[in-house]
Amino acid sequence: MVSENAKKLVLLVLGLADGYIETDTKMQKLSFLINQEVFNWTKFEANNYGAYSKELMKAVDKLEKEGILVYIWDDDGVSKYYLTEKGKLNAKELLEQLKNEDENKLNKAMEIIQSHKNDYLTYLIAYTYKHYPEFTAKSIIKNKVEEWIRYYHL
């Protein structure tokens, strides 16, 4: 069973990112930031590369089966997420619903996406590690990320 809130989180992140996100890491980290700072819709846990949600990836699979998004690996081994036309309509409806429910929360989510959607992955990872150290307990890249934190002066 896939959580409806996890599906909403995926749809919200893609909707605010103009229907496209490149890499699983960026999807996970942007979703994590919105989840932690705004909506708290799904569970994230400490994993090998910081905060990770299994539920989020189940939601991606379900949304792909429903024709809402396309999840592909390109020839270079990079994962990409695209909203379909149906997905764009669903995202628009969700954004309208959230605007009516709590426009301040929606604005905060928009700020997060606008601030971080074009970040280098190393910066985005360093940012989440710095601001949410409780999710780094199982990290196998913690030493490297600490270098990035210093590099970016976080």
Side-chain angles (χ1 to χ4, degrees):
M1 183 76 181
V2 176
S3 152
E4 288 301 312
N5 281 341
K7 287 169 56 178
K8 274 195 337 190
L9 184 56
V10 171
L11 194 57
L12 175 62
V13 170
L14 280 167
L16 292 175
D18 300 321
Y20 172 75
I21 289 184
E22 187 172 276
T23 80
D24 292 334
T25 302
K26 190 160 277 192
M27 174 59 90
Q28 284 283 334
K29 300 310 179 208
L30 290 174
S31 298
F32 172 73
L33 290 173
I34 287 177
N35 193 70
Q36 296 305 111
E37 296 180 18
V38 186
F39 288 109
N40 197 25
W41 281 340
T42 196
K43 181 182 176 193
F44 282 80
E45 57 194 19
N47 205 314
N48 289 347
Y49 303 98
Y52 179 80
S53 174
K54 292 176 191 169
E55 192 63 30
L56 197 75
M57 294 314 292
K58 289 178 187 174
V60 166
D61 289 341
K62 182 72 172 164
L63 289 168
E64 187 172 33
K65 288 177 180 142
E66 294 174 359
I68 304 290
L69 66 80
V70 176
Y71 174 71
I72 61 165
W73 286 86
D74 70 13
D75 293 339
D76 295 328
V78 177
S79 58
K80 296 179 180 179
Y81 300 78
Y82 297 92
L83 284 177
T84 62
E85 289 305 313
K86 179 180 176 183
K88 289 175 186 174
L89 290 174
N90 286 11
K92 184 177 177 184
E93 289 172 10
L94 176 61
L95 293 174
E96 281 298 316
Q97 175 193 340
L98 293 173
K99 182 179 179 182
N100 292 333
E101 289 174 4
D102 192 334
E103 191 168 2
N104 289 333
K105 281 187 172 185
L106 178 59
N107 287 338
K108 176 66 176 160
M110 281 187 214
E111 287 173 24
I112 291 168
I113 295 295
Q114 293 307 313
S115 296
H116 296 290
K117 74 176 181 177
N118 295 318
D119 285 352
Y120 291 114
L121 284 180
T122 53
Y123 180 87
L124 190 55
I125 294 166
Y127 182 90
T128 59
Y129 272 57
K130 175 70 175 176
H131 290 88
Y132 298 94
E134 65 274 24
F135 288 91
T136 68
K138 296 181 180 178
S139 177
I140 61 174
I141 61 169
K142 197 173 196 174
N143 291 340
K144 189 61 165 171
V145 176
E146 287 172 2
E147 290 176 25
W148 298 339
I149 289 169
R150 286 190 298 277
Y151 176 81
Y152 292 117
H153 305 287
L154 293 174

